[in-house]
Amino acid sequence: APAKAKKITSKANNVELSSDGEVEEGSWEMEEEEDGSSEEMVDDYGASSSEEEELLPIEKAALKQKLDRGGLSEDDSEEEEEEEEAEAEEALGEASKQKIGQKEEESSDLQLNLDIDEQFKLPTNEQIEREDILFICDIRKLYTCSIPPDLHIIHQRIKGNMEVLQDFVVKREEGRTRQEYLALLRRDMAAYYSYSDFLLTKLMDIFPLPELINFLEANEVPRPVTIRTNTLKTRRRDLAQALINRGVNLDPLGKWSKTGLVIYDSSVPIGATPEYLAGHYMLQGASSLLPVMALAPQENERILDMCCAPGGKTSYIAQLMKNTGMILANDSNAERLRSVVGNLHRLGVTNAVVSNCDGRQFPKVCSCLLWGVLGGFDRVLLDAPCSGTGVISKDPAVKTNKDEKDILRCAHLQKELILSAIDSVNAASETGGYIVYCTCSIMVEENEWVVDYALKKRNVRLVATGLDFGKEGFTRFKDRRFHPSLKSTRRFYPHTHNMDGFFIAKFKKFSNAIPQAQKEPAVEATTPSTVPGTVTEPQPKKKKLEGSKIDKEQKPPQPALKKRHSLQAQRKPLKA
């Protein structure tokens, strides 16, 4: 007959160990001091074993207590123990199921039912307040909160909300307005993508809702690494072959660029190769190539790069000019000019002069050099400082650290710079007279508003940029209307063109004269005398202004002023 296993009860934790090495759970029993006689323990199969071992006093007392209490046999007591263990396990299972059910109920309160068969419903105010506790820490950067927001629920609700807004008349909930859906969508997107409410409101005004989601998703992915071949020292074909031999996976940037290469991966640092140190290429974003292409500099011209740091566009201009003519590379930050000088030396640029001046005061400070020696510039490139809303993938801090004051401050600076750039150009240039204005922002206040302001303040007009792709600029935005020629400006987005957000406008200056603001003629304060016995004498006519041009440039009088003049003319002098 096979050997029967015996139970050995452990002293430490009252766990029963079988002789064949198996562990069986035992129930914890309270110790009571009772006198009990030694009795034989029955094995698992109900037969007494030849190798009987004496029980410990505590085990004897517990066994006697069970027998006295129930009057059961030892086999029955073991069965009762098994039943109690099973009941305990069932009780624990029910308790765990209840806890899981409670959690599911709580999550179901937060998660809206987005099934296809059921309609999307807006959450109640209580549910919104409950969710605020979860993700207000993420919005306000309070890292003391230990409960993270449930991004899956928020993402599903964004999708459901978008479906309702696209077919609002059919899918909307009764008694709910479109503004309530938009407010919930803005709140959810701010929590999911970590944007400030101000910036997200601005973006919702610029993009349609489906395109806005694509823009936000594109900002979460870095743009591809691109380089520009320096044709002053090498050709793109030779450079590509040299980098491929070093283990770099690359492709041409696109049909629109003859010098760009896109880098997918590299086994060597792309910014420390012998080719880079020799000045054969420049690490440069794809979008920063476009302003220089729009400027289209010609050989032997005088070019001004008003905000040149770190020197990528300046070196590209010198490359297109083949180191002829003259480039004035200016920047107001002396620290950033160090990188400009280093890059120009490395790339072999010999026709550039570096200056450190405030671009706003450039025509005044350098008037002797500008007009006395140079005779004005043929072309000017202005890459104006901006809020950086087009390069969020490079600087995610823009999501939360920009507000209305920052946007308006940048717009004011850009208006001053663009007027200064226009004043630095010679309209009588045989080959030039062009100004290119660009920013790495997508805000209308920094782009179309600034361009429209320049059209009103200077004798310039917009011309085609020469770029075959890109979206047209806005001619109307909310309650504002811009000049119709703003259609010739170009906008570039990360989700559409896979490059940083950019805006480019190209001006042609047709007159060096600065138009003066016309002052309205002052109305005389004296009125015809109404004192009896006095007669008003007719006043002599004023001489007409000399020159027919001035008469044409004068603005017609305002309607209110016309009415006032007509009333004075109708008054007749009183007789004596």
Side-chain angles (χ1 to χ4, degrees), residues 178-402:
R178 188 179 185 87
Q179 296 300 326
E180 293 178 346
Y181 282 89
L182 291 174
L184 176 65
L185 180 64
R186 182 173 63 250
R187 175 178 168 277
D188 288 341
M189 287 192 296
Y192 188 77
Y193 295 102
S194 300
Y195 280 77
S196 64
D197 187 70
F198 161 77
L199 184 57
L200 204 56
T201 303
K202 288 288 186 181
L203 296 177
M204 292 178 72
D205 293 335
I206 295 174
F207 297 106
L209 290 180
E211 189 176 0
L212 175 60
I213 298 296
N214 296 333
F215 174 78
L216 297 178
E217 290 289 346
N219 286 334
E220 303 300 318
V221 182
R223 304 277 76 77
V225 179
T226 57
I227 62 175
R228 174 181 55 83
T229 307
N230 182 19
T231 55
L232 295 175
K233 292 190 174 184
T234 185
R235 297 182 301 176
R236 184 169 70 168
R237 181 186 305 172
D238 299 336
L239 175 63
Q241 186 61 46
L243 293 178
I244 290 172
N245 294 338
R246 295 190 182 277
V248 180
N249 185 14
L250 51 82
D251 269 333
L253 181 57
K255 295 182 179 180
W256 55 270
S257 176
K258 296 181 180 180
T259 59
L261 292 170
V262 56
I263 307 297
Y264 297 114
D265 57 75
S266 174
S267 59
V268 294
I270 200 65
T273 61
E275 288 77 15
Y276 176 83
L277 299 176
H280 290 183
Y281 64 90
M282 176 75 175
L283 280 167
Q284 193 169 0
S287 58
S288 62
L289 303 178
L290 301 175
V292 180
M293 297 174 61
L295 186 66
Q298 305 299 317
E299 296 182 18
N300 299 313
E301 283 188 338
R302 298 178 298 273
I303 309 294
L304 170 62
D305 189 356
M306 189 167 282
C307 304
C308 65
K313 299 180 181 66
T314 304
S315 59
Y316 192 18
I317 294 172
Q319 174 180 319
L320 295 178
M321 295 173 65
K322 299 180 181 177
N323 262 341
T324 62
M326 193 276 292
I327 303 173
L328 183 57
N330 178 76
D331 201 277
S332 60
N333 191 341
E335 295 294 330
R336 300 188 68 191
L337 285 176
R338 296 180 180 179
S339 61
V340 177
V341 174
N343 285 323
L344 294 181
H345 280 298
R346 182 176 59 84
L347 296 169
V349 176
T350 59
N351 64 339
V353 178
V354 180
S355 66
N356 179 23
C357 296
D358 188 353
R360 296 171 293 183
Q361 305 298 329
F362 193 85
K364 299 177 183 178
V365 175
C366 304
S367 58
C368 296
L369 173 65
L370 180 60
W371 297 105
V373 180
L374 300 176
F377 290 100
D378 297 311
R379 301 170 194 262
V380 174
L381 174 62
L382 174 58
D383 185 4
C386 62
S387 60
T389 52
V391 290
I392 295 177
S393 60
K394 293 181 180 178
D395 185 12
V398 178
K399 295 180 179 181
T400 54
N401 64 2
K402 299 298 179 183

Side-chain angles (χ1 to χ4, degrees), residues 140-152:
R140 298 183 179 179
K141 303 297 181 182
L142 301 179
Y143 297 104
T144 56
C145 182
S146 60
I147 304 176
D150 195 340
L151 298 181
H152 178 70

Side-chain angles (χ1 to χ4, degrees), residues 12-185:
N13 52 6
N14 197 18
V15 177
E16 295 179 353
L17 304 175
S18 62
S19 61
D20 56 357
E22 297 179 353
V23 180
E24 299 182 2
E25 295 182 356
S27 60
W28 293 87
E29 299 292 336
M30 298 298 295
E31 180 179 0
E32 296 182 3
E33 296 180 357
E34 293 185 1
D35 296 332
S37 60
S38 61
E39 298 178 359
E40 294 182 354
M41 288 292 295
V42 181
D43 61 6
D44 296 338
Y45 299 95
S48 59
S49 175
S50 61
E51 300 177 356
E52 296 179 353
E53 296 183 358
E54 295 183 356
L55 297 177
L56 296 175
I58 186 173
E59 296 174 343
K60 294 178 181 179
L63 183 59
K64 184 178 180 181
Q65 183 183 8
K66 289 180 181 179
L67 294 174
D68 295 342
R69 182 179 57 188
L72 300 175
S73 63
E74 294 179 355
D75 296 340
D76 296 337
S77 63
E78 291 180 359
E79 293 177 358
E80 184 180 359
E81 288 177 3
E82 293 176 358
E83 292 177 357
E84 289 177 357
E85 290 175 2
E87 292 177 358
E89 290 178 357
E90 291 178 0
L92 290 173
E94 292 178 358
S96 61
K97 289 180 180 178
Q98 290 178 358
K99 290 181 180 179
I100 294 172
Q102 292 176 357
K103 290 182 180 179
E104 290 178 352
E105 289 178 359
E106 292 176 358
S107 62
S108 63
D109 292 339
L110 300 178
Q111 182 178 7
L112 297 176
N113 197 343
L114 300 177
D115 295 338
I116 300 175
D117 299 335
E118 297 185 4
Q119 187 179 4
F120 173 81
K121 294 183 180 180
L122 289 174
T124 61
N125 294 332
E126 296 179 356
Q127 293 174 345
I128 292 176
E129 290 177 359
R130 193 181 308 169
E131 290 183 4
D132 287 339
I133 300 175
L134 297 179
F135 62 83
I136 195 172
C137 304
D138 183 64
I139 296 175
R140 298 183 179 179
K141 303 297 181 182
L142 301 179
Y143 297 104
T144 56
C145 182
S146 60
I147 304 176
D150 195 340
L151 298 181
H152 178 70
I153 295 176
I154 296 175
H155 183 63
Q156 293 297 325
R157 189 163 58 201
I158 289 174
K159 293 172 62 178
N161 202 342
M162 291 287 295
E163 293 177 359
V164 174
L165 289 172
Q166 289 177 0
D167 193 4
F168 187 72
V169 178
V170 177
K171 297 182 179 181
R172 74 183 183 93
E173 185 179 352
E174 294 184 1
R176 297 284 192 170
T177 62
R178 188 179 185 87
Q179 296 300 326
E180 293 178 346
Y181 282 89
L182 291 174
L184 176 65
L185 180 64

